[in-house]
Amino acid sequence: EDYIEKAVNSALAQTYSNIEVVVVDNSSTDSTWTILNQIAKKDIRVNIYRNKTNIGPVKNWIKTVSLAKGDYGKILWADDLIDKTFLEKTINYLSEYKEVGFVITSAVIFSDSSKRLNYNLLGDTGIYLTSKFINGCLFDYRFPNSPGSALFRLKDLRTNILSNIPNNFNEDFSKHSIGVDRSIYLLTALRYPKYAYVNEPLSFFREHAGGITVNSSRERMRIL
């Protein structure tokens, strides 16, 4: 309830106007659903749905992209933001270059008291081989884990968001999304020879006690 209105409004503020915003409330217990109803009444581009029970983050992502229309999809977490020019500066890479699988932008991790630029060292704005991305994603900390800083084709999101990842740790990855987020990138990269990078901070990840940005490092340590 503290962040959802700002997140949705950042999507609605896009300079690229032909958009749909799909929000699936994963059985929230606060005022989130009330806030979403207020937003949807004011803007017909917003379509809202609510789960009867909490189905976990990953299954909720799968449901959300299944409800979306159009050709392209941007995952926006409920506590994060995007710059108003995000779509304007990324969508042409997918519409004009069929060999490009996704477009990443630089990102800012921020809190109420600070902010820092994240993975802005991937190179100049342009198109690169996905072999570089796969190698960097596995071995270079500067490459992103979160698909929240990227634009994909919806058909690839529907195929490559896994409800679980087979593993030897008896971990249900669908409950916390760790590993599933990176696999979206890697599985998509296997289908395309190239990806695009926009060296501008157009994605903003909020760092707070209840967020994945803070907790994922702890979970990864426990799994490893």
Side-chain angles (χ1 to χ4, degrees):
E1 63 181 5
D2 293 333
Y3 309 124
I4 185 64
E5 185 172 9
K6 292 179 180 178
V8 174
N9 283 341
S10 77
L12 292 173
Q14 292 300 296
T15 53
Y16 184 92
S17 60
N18 185 21
I19 63 170
E20 170 197 33
V21 178
V22 179
V23 188
V24 180
D25 180 341
N26 199 11
S27 190
S28 63
T29 58
D30 56 16
S31 299
T32 296
W33 183 241
T34 299
I35 295 169
L36 289 173
N37 272 278
Q38 292 170 348
I39 297 171
K41 287 178 181 178
K42 296 177 182 178
D43 198 316
I44 61 173
R45 296 176 297 172
V46 181
N47 294 314
I48 60 173
Y49 306 86
R50 191 180 195 188
N51 297 330
K52 293 181 179 179
T53 59
N54 190 303
I55 60 176
V58 177
K59 291 179 181 178
N60 202 49
W61 305 349
I62 293 171
K63 181 175 180 178
T64 304
V65 299
S66 74
L67 293 166
K69 306 177 184 69
D71 296 320
Y72 311 106
K74 162 76 178 73
I75 299 175
L76 179 62
W77 315 132
D79 50 2
D80 295 335
L81 306 169
I82 49 175
D83 186 85
K84 64 182 181 180
T85 63
F86 179 92
L87 289 176
E88 176 188 333
K89 293 179 177 179
T90 58
I91 199 166
N92 286 345
Y93 285 103
L94 296 185
S95 63
E96 296 182 11
Y97 301 96
K98 302 304 181 185
E99 69 273 22
V100 171
F102 50 85
V103 189
I104 312 167
T105 77
S106 294
V108 173
I109 296 177
F110 72 99
S111 66
D112 292 338
S113 59
S114 66
K115 65 179 181 179
R116 64 181 186 273
L117 199 61
N118 193 33
Y119 44 85
N120 65 324
L121 302 176
L122 303 190
D124 297 327
T125 295
I127 296 174
Y128 297 86
L129 295 175
T130 50
S131 57
K132 174 185 176 181
F133 180 85
I134 293 171
N135 184 73
C137 192
L138 294 175
F139 302 111
D140 188 338
Y141 72 92
R142 296 173 298 178
F143 279 71
N145 296 311
S146 172
S149 60
L151 183 71
F152 295 86
R153 292 179 178 86
L154 266 178
K155 65 179 182 179
D156 293 317
L157 285 176
R158 293 185 180 119
T159 300
N160 296 330
I161 301 178
L162 304 181
S163 60
N164 205 0
I165 299 176
N167 64 91
N168 296 323
F169 306 103
N170 198 31
E171 280 288 337
D172 183 355
F173 287 88
S174 68
K175 291 183 178 179
H176 48 57
S177 78
I178 298 165
V180 180
D181 49 5
R182 180 175 286 192
S183 71
I184 297 171
Y185 276 127
L186 292 174
L187 291 171
T188 305
L190 291 174
R191 292 170 172 257
Y192 296 89
K194 297 178 181 179
Y195 73 99
Y197 174 61
V198 178
N199 190 11
E200 295 183 50
L202 304 179
S203 305
F204 303 87
F205 298 149
R206 188 185 301 272
E207 190 172 55
H208 60 96
I212 291 176
T213 301
V214 172
N215 292 321
S216 62
S217 59
R218 302 190 195 116
E219 290 292 335
R220 284 199 176 91
M221 288 299 293
R222 183 170 66 85
I223 292 169
L224 294 174

